[in-house]
Amino acid sequence: MTGEVSSDDFIVPAYLREAFPGGLPRRGVVSVRGSHFFTMVLASIASEQKAWIAFLGAEDVGWACAESLGVDAGRVVHVPRIATQGSQVVSAAIDGFDVVVVGNVRLDVRERRVLQRRAITKGALLIAMDWPNASLTVDCELRGVSGVNDGIGHIRAVDYTVSTQRGQSHMRYTQDGRGAPPFQQLSVVHGDVQLGAVSARVPS
């Protein structure tokens, strides 16, 4: 079921090239720290290059957000809950998909090592949160939002700083998708944002 992708790394947009100077790795494991949202960003980059993607153990995927980022739903398989045999399920997905986003799947240290080696051998990319000894670790930090004043309003834009051992980039997410932030950064925020009478969390 693998898509029409090259054997090289996935090409990243210009505003992320400082953090990914060689592109997004095509095989192995990319571990994301600080932001579940950024796992979707990475999946969208691969999806735009016609990759087939499996989302495993991800119950709270925001598909409207995924679509705005560029995820092609026609090339996605979603398994929201994996109660048992997590290692076998991920291993099977490695055989059939270009990218596997690993959510709430119970894996021990040995299983993670085996799956990482298998992904490298098979030419598949695993994207996961806080995966020890990953091929590449990405830190995504929320920097600020616009559209909210004293807890009232509608979020219009969110800024992130993306860091790897290779470099650092900045990204802005709006209802129209992701892109490079303008020169002026948004105000720094932390945690929940109150939207009128409703508490909402910015993508993190």
Side-chain angles (χ1 to χ4, degrees):
M1 196 180 288
T2 53
E4 303 160 11
V5 295
S6 73
S7 59
D8 299 323
D9 293 344
F10 293 109
I11 299 169
V12 300
Y15 54 85
L16 290 177
R17 286 180 191 159
E18 293 295 325
F20 301 90
L24 176 63
R26 178 69 179 79
R27 60 183 66 210
V29 179
V30 171
S31 175
V32 178
R33 297 188 299 203
S35 173
H36 287 276
F37 168 72
F38 199 70
T39 63
M40 183 69 75
V41 171
L42 296 179
S44 73
I45 290 171
S47 182
E48 289 179 335
Q49 294 168 65
K50 301 189 181 300
W52 280 87
I53 302 174
F55 286 86
L56 305 181
E59 297 189 48
D60 56 351
V61 176
W63 292 112
C65 173
E67 183 179 359
S68 74
L69 288 169
V71 173
D72 180 0
R75 290 176 177 265
V76 166
V77 170
H78 179 214
V79 183
R81 289 177 298 278
I82 299 175
T84 61
Q85 299 183 320
S87 178
Q88 291 92 324
V89 174
V90 176
S91 181
I94 289 171
D95 287 341
F97 292 85
D98 301 300
V99 176
V100 181
V101 180
V102 182
N104 186 22
V105 180
R106 188 174 299 174
L107 300 168
D108 61 31
V109 174
R110 184 192 64 81
E111 289 170 335
R112 289 176 184 268
R113 287 199 300 264
V114 171
L115 290 170
Q116 183 165 343
R117 288 196 298 267
R118 186 172 182 80
I120 292 171
T121 300
K122 294 290 186 177
L125 174 62
L126 301 181
I127 301 173
M129 293 291 294
D130 300 311
W131 185 293
N133 302 311
S135 311
L136 179 67
T137 298
V138 183
D139 289 293
C140 184
E141 180 185 2
L142 173 66
R143 297 300 302 167
V145 299
S146 73
V148 178
N149 184 20
D150 292 330
I152 299 174
H154 300 280
I155 295 173
R156 294 194 302 268
V158 188
D159 278 354
Y160 297 91
T161 297
V162 180
S163 305
T164 69
Q165 55 263 50
R166 302 171 183 176
Q168 186 178 88
S169 297
H170 302 281
M171 183 189 77
R172 177 166 293 181
Y173 173 69
T174 70
Q175 63 181 1
D176 297 321
R178 51 180 164 79
F183 178 76
Q184 184 177 3
Q185 291 190 348
L186 303 177
S187 301
V188 175
V189 298
H190 300 283
D192 294 326
V193 176
Q194 297 290 330
L195 301 185
V198 179
S199 176
R201 181 173 291 275
V202 297
S204 61

